[in-house]
Amino acid sequence: MLPLAGLSLYALVEDGLVSEVDRALLTKVRLLSGAVDQADRELHLEFADPVTRDFLAGERGEHLQLYTAIGDVLYRSPSLGDHSLPLGAVSAEPAHAWVDVPEAGRCRTVTLAFEANVGEESPPGTVPAKLVLVLAHDARDVVQTLSTLRSRLVIVGLATLVVTAATLVWVVRRSARPLVAASERIAMIDESDLSIRLDASRVPSELMPIVKRVNGLLARLEAAFERERSFSDDVAHELRTPLAALRTTLEVENTRSRSPEEYARAIEAAAAIAVELQGMVERLLQLARLDAGCTAIESVRYDLADFAVETWEPYATRAHVRHLRVDLDLQHELQVSFDRELLGLILRNLHDNAVTYADPGGHVRIAVRSDDDGAIHLEVSNSGSRLDEAQASAATQRFWRGDSARTDAGLHCGLGLAVVEKATAALGGTLKLSSRVAGEFVAQVVLNGAARNPRVKPG
Amino acid sequence: MKILVVEDHAPLRGSLAKGLREAGFAVDLAADGEEGLWHALEEDYDAIVLDLMLPKLDGLSVLERLRAKGKQSHVLILTAKDAVRDRVRGLEAGADDYLVKPFAFEELLARIRALVRRRYAAKSPAVRVGDLEIDRAAQRVRRGGRDIELTAKEYALLELLALRAGEIVRRVEIWSHLYEFAEEPSSNLLEVYVAQLRRKLEAGGEPRMIHTRRGVGYSLEAMS
């Protein structure tokens, strides 16, 4: 913009100055053309007399040359010496041009074609001579003025450019300061401290949405890291504690010689802890697999009631030892094609839960049915629950341990229902838990038809 | 010496109780934070073994409430939390020691004994009263160079009296240090232990060290 403005200004001034010179030249050339008289075939040039010549030439810096229409020189002002003013293309209209005149320098010229004034004393029918007058004006002062203007415009332009650039840099740096501060704060963030937030009050309003989004992202990251850390702590706790129990049991038993019965009891206790550890590791692996994104694979069709009985069998002995009554309420001929592994995971965890937490001498109920919409309902419940409704709904949290029932059962592993929830979700179903203290704990899984599984493996 | 173990994992709780009892400690057990806090406020334990992740009330809260009530029992935190920040938090909350699971039972025992020594301001595991020497680390007793075989309860009784040698130890104190919460006090049983202990200590014809303070308790003194 700045060069354009300078060029425009320069053109305006140049045009003004040159136009003024041209106007003066034109006035003068018309005046001079009127000073050529013709008497018959003779031309009388008034400007050739000494007074006019002095007026025109030398110190005033003006020069003239008169041509005939065919280019013969009729007169040349003495100021030109041996030089000539060039005769350009002649037209009816006066034409201006720039000419370099030796010793006089750069001149502005005007070329005017005209006819000589035929005097009254000339015989009738005298044809006026066609002439061309070239008048030059020494324009060194105009050229000098324009040159000075050019230089100043360049200097002012450059200075303005430098100042503008400096101002621009300053303004950019100043407005980028909050961004720099924000970037420095972002650089301070690592996984050990995600509590840092960007200061929204110190950034321009244009950047506010970005700062808010970044702070929101940081908050989500912090929560995710906290969950992860908490989960790692829980895993460590859940694995270290039975390991400690196993080691302590073996070390204490080994401090002295004992009877075979005592050793048998110790081996039994150690085996029970090993089973607990195994169950925990298996559930952790199941959860890890489910977390990694499990894809349900449709199986060949099978009978759901038969499958429920098949998955129950490993728990029947424990139920018998605990004197539990087992009620099977199974709708037969219910063919499904849900992923067998995932459905097995759900049922086995629910069976284990029910057998473990049912009150001694209580009962376990396993029910399977379909409703009018074709949805499959799996229900595993047990008596003697110690959980209220709120506690039951929290029981799918990993390592949830708000219930004394688990403690009393000597178990820590709050993972079974978390696995059930994940596996149910992988099958596109829902898990609902309900309970009342001293009443029933009910786990209900609803699956919306086997055909809805996302991937079909050819049977 | 009497220990409280607050641990929610039943098999670990059972093994700890068995090992500590066999080492001569009276042991009370609690399966959750609330129960643990109740015991700790009710009794004057020589040491408390406290888990951190407990149902109902977490271990740190138990510890803080205990200290807020002015209870100065020595506390050893026994936990699976091994991060430095967890140890710092535990010690700042008033714990005296910190042991991460899994652990060697011998190490736990050594640390509990160190805490008990701190309670009785005894820097050395060896206690000497006259010609009686008690090596508390090895639980060995000698008198005049003669080894004396004691049962766990006899040893615990002698150790308590020796740690407070010259003082009268009240019968109720002896009960609370030797017997567990659920056991009924029986003055007759205590006298039986005292008699057995005297017999073993004086088997070489040495002078009596355990003296009866009628209606109050017992004291251990080396008579010149």
Side-chain angles (χ1 to χ4, degrees):
Chain A
M1 283 305 288
L2 201 63
L4 275 178
L7 284 173
S8 301
L9 178 65
Y10 178 78
L12 200 66
V13 172
E14 183 187 39
D15 190 49
L17 289 173
V18 172
S19 296
E20 196 176 327
V21 171
D22 286 351
R23 267 197 307 276
L25 274 174
L26 196 58
T27 305
K28 189 166 280 185
V29 82
R30 289 193 197 284
L31 196 64
L32 290 170
S33 67
V36 177
D37 296 330
Q38 182 178 350
D40 194 7
R41 295 180 65 90
E42 282 189 14
L43 293 171
H44 176 69
L45 309 176
E46 283 183 20
F47 47 76
D49 67 64
V51 178
T52 313
R53 191 177 61 208
D54 290 347
F55 171 74
L56 288 168
E59 293 172 353
R60 298 197 59 84
E62 289 184 343
H63 321 278
L64 67 82
Q65 192 161 346
L66 184 66
Y67 292 91
T68 64
I70 56 169
D72 294 334
V73 178
L74 294 176
Y75 174 76
R76 185 190 292 138
S77 65
S79 60
L80 286 170
D82 295 334
H83 306 294
S84 281
L85 293 175
L87 179 65
V90 178
S91 67
E93 291 299 313
H96 297 277
W98 287 99
V99 172
D100 286 315
V101 178
E103 295 170 16
R106 196 153 178 77
C107 293
R108 184 70 177 169
T109 65
V110 61
T111 302
L112 181 71
F114 67 99
E115 289 179 345
N117 300 321
V118 178
E120 290 177 354
E121 64 272 23
S122 297
T126 301
V127 178
K130 294 189 182 299
L131 303 169
V132 178
L133 185 58
V134 181
L135 178 64
H137 173 80
D138 185 345
R140 276 181 294 188
D141 53 345
V142 173
V143 171
Q144 183 61 43
T145 303
L146 288 175
S147 170
T148 306
L149 178 64
R150 238 183 356 254
S151 306
R152 288 187 180 170
L153 279 175
V154 168
I155 290 167
V156 168
L158 285 174
T160 311
L161 219 60
V162 169
V163 170
T164 307
T167 309
L168 207 64
V169 169
W170 181 78
V171 168
V172 167
R173 280 191 182 161
R174 188 178 168 77
S175 32
R177 211 173 288 162
L179 276 181
V180 173
S183 73
E184 282 169 356
R185 281 187 75 76
I186 289 173
M188 289 162 64
I189 299 169
D190 62 18
E191 74 282 0
S192 65
D193 185 7
L194 287 165
S195 63
I196 293 173
R197 297 286 179 274
L198 304 183
D199 187 354
S201 67
R202 294 182 59 191
V203 295
S205 55
E206 299 82 14
L207 290 177
M208 282 288 280
I210 293 174
V211 167
K212 282 184 179 169
R213 292 292 165 107
V214 169
N215 281 342
L217 173 68
L218 286 171
R220 289 195 298 278
L221 274 176
E222 187 180 20
F225 265 77
E226 185 53 37
R227 274 199 303 277
E228 191 61 33
R229 195 185 63 74
S230 167
F231 181 67
S232 303
D233 283 354
D234 286 338
V235 169
H237 185 264
E238 300 303 323
L239 290 176
R240 281 170 185 270
T241 300
L243 274 175
L246 192 57
R247 185 173 175 182
T248 305
T249 300
L250 297 174
E251 286 182 0
V252 166
E253 296 305 323
N254 202 34
T255 51
R256 62 184 69 184
S257 290
R258 299 178 188 277
S259 65
E261 292 75 23
E262 272 189 285
Y263 280 128
R265 277 198 299 274
I267 290 168
E268 196 180 328
I273 298 168
V275 168
E276 181 193 345
L277 265 170
Q278 182 189 340
M280 190 180 303
V281 170
E282 278 173 1
R283 287 194 181 100
L284 279 170
L285 291 173
Q286 288 164 1
L287 268 179
R289 277 199 291 272
L290 290 168
D291 280 343
C294 177
T295 306
I297 299 171
E298 193 166 332
S299 169
V300 288
R301 295 181 80 76
Y302 55 93
D303 188 283
L304 185 55
D306 290 347
F307 189 59
V309 172
E310 181 187 319
T311 54
W312 166 254
E313 275 167 7
Y315 302 92
T317 307
R318 271 172 63 199
H320 177 71
V321 168
R322 302 198 66 222
H323 306 292
L324 301 178
R325 192 185 79 238
V326 181
D327 299 328
L328 299 176
D329 181 6
L330 308 172
Q331 179 182 332
H332 287 278
E333 315 246 325
L334 193 54
Q335 297 291 310
V336 295
S337 54
F338 295 112
D339 186 312
R340 279 178 76 94
E341 192 184 335
L342 287 174
L343 194 59
L345 211 57
I346 293 169
L347 283 168
R348 279 190 290 273
N349 275 292
L350 291 180
H351 295 335
D352 185 55
N353 211 56
V355 173
T356 304
Y357 299 121
D359 52 326
H363 71 267
V364 170
R365 179 173 173 273
I366 301 165
V368 167
R369 66 178 175 85
S370 66
D371 64 18
D372 295 342
D373 299 327
I376 305 295
H377 294 250
L378 297 170
E379 209 171 280
V380 180
S381 57
N382 61 272
S383 61
S385 175
R386 300 191 190 182
L387 307 185
D388 59 27
E389 199 66 37
Q391 286 173 320
S393 61
T396 54
Q397 291 172 18
R398 297 173 185 198
F399 299 116
W400 180 77
R401 49 185 24 248
D403 59 324
S404 59
R406 274 194 187 129
T407 301
D408 292 350
L411 295 172
H412 270 241
C413 190
L415 289 171
L417 290 173
V419 170
V420 171
E421 189 180 47
K422 273 271 175 189
T424 303
L427 288 177
T430 54
L431 168 69
K432 189 184 170 204
L433 302 175
S434 59
S435 175
R436 60 186 174 81
V437 177
E440 294 252 317
F441 178 89
V442 183
Q444 188 184 52
V445 173
V446 179
L447 301 170
N448 295 317
R452 293 189 63 186
N453 285 328
R455 211 177 73 197
V456 177
K457 188 171 79 172
Chain B
M1 300 296 111
K2 195 167 186 178
I3 309 290
L4 171 65
V5 175
V6 189
E7 167 61 58
D8 62 334
H9 191 262
L12 178 58
R13 193 169 64 237
S15 293
L16 286 174
K18 184 174 185 183
L20 290 171
R21 281 173 185 146
E22 286 180 356
F25 293 101
V27 183
D28 280 348
L29 298 171
D32 61 59
E34 283 180 3
E35 190 186 355
L37 180 63
W38 184 84
H39 274 292
L41 291 173
E42 286 294 311
E43 287 275 337
D44 188 20
Y45 292 100
D46 293 296
I48 297 171
V49 177
L50 181 66
D51 186 15
L52 286 186
M53 290 173 77
L54 290 166
K56 297 185 180 175
L57 188 64
D58 70 272
L60 278 182
S61 302
V62 171
L63 187 52
E64 282 162 1
R65 292 188 194 184
L66 202 59
R67 296 300 185 229
K69 296 266 184 189
K71 275 279 184 184
Q72 294 305 314
S73 304
H74 287 94
V75 173
L76 183 148
I77 288 178
L78 188 64
T79 179
K81 291 187 164 189
D82 61 341
V84 172
R85 64 174 180 279
D86 294 319
R87 291 167 185 250
V88 170
R89 280 180 65 195
L91 295 172
E92 281 180 349
D96 299 277
D97 203 353
Y98 198 103
L99 190 59
V100 175
K101 297 174 188 172
F103 50 88
F105 184 71
E106 278 301 308
E107 185 181 357
L108 175 71
L109 213 49
R111 290 188 186 222
I112 289 174
R113 285 178 177 148
L115 288 182
V116 174
R117 278 203 304 279
R118 276 168 66 182
R119 176 169 191 193
Y120 294 99
K123 284 186 182 170
S124 162
V127 179
R128 176 182 280 274
V129 183
D131 60 349
L132 179 70
E133 296 168 59
I134 303 174
D135 180 348
R136 299 176 65 219
Q139 293 200 353
R140 271 214 308 266
V141 178
R142 290 163 70 85
R143 188 168 187 197
R146 175 173 59 87
D147 285 326
I148 300 171
E149 290 293 326
L150 299 178
T151 64
K153 277 281 185 283
E154 288 164 359
Y155 173 82
L157 173 59
L158 180 63
E159 185 185 43
L160 177 63
L161 293 174
L163 285 168
R164 296 174 60 180
E167 287 178 39
I168 298 171
V169 185
R170 301 169 73 83
R171 297 171 67 88
V172 66
E173 280 183 79
I174 296 173
W175 266 111
S176 78
H177 277 82
L178 263 57
Y179 292 92
E180 293 165 9
F181 177 72
E183 291 176 281
E184 283 294 322
S186 157
S187 57
N188 184 40
L189 191 59
L190 182 54
E191 277 161 10
V192 170
Y193 279 126
V194 169
Q196 284 173 353
L197 201 50
R198 278 177 176 154
R199 187 169 46 77
K200 289 183 180 179
L201 291 177
E202 298 159 15
E206 297 92 338
R208 176 151 297 186
M209 292 189 82
I210 299 173
H211 305 279
T212 306
R213 306 298 175 192
R214 294 257 171 248
V216 187
Y218 298 91
S219 69
L220 183 81
E221 288 173 62
M223 293 297 183
S224 54

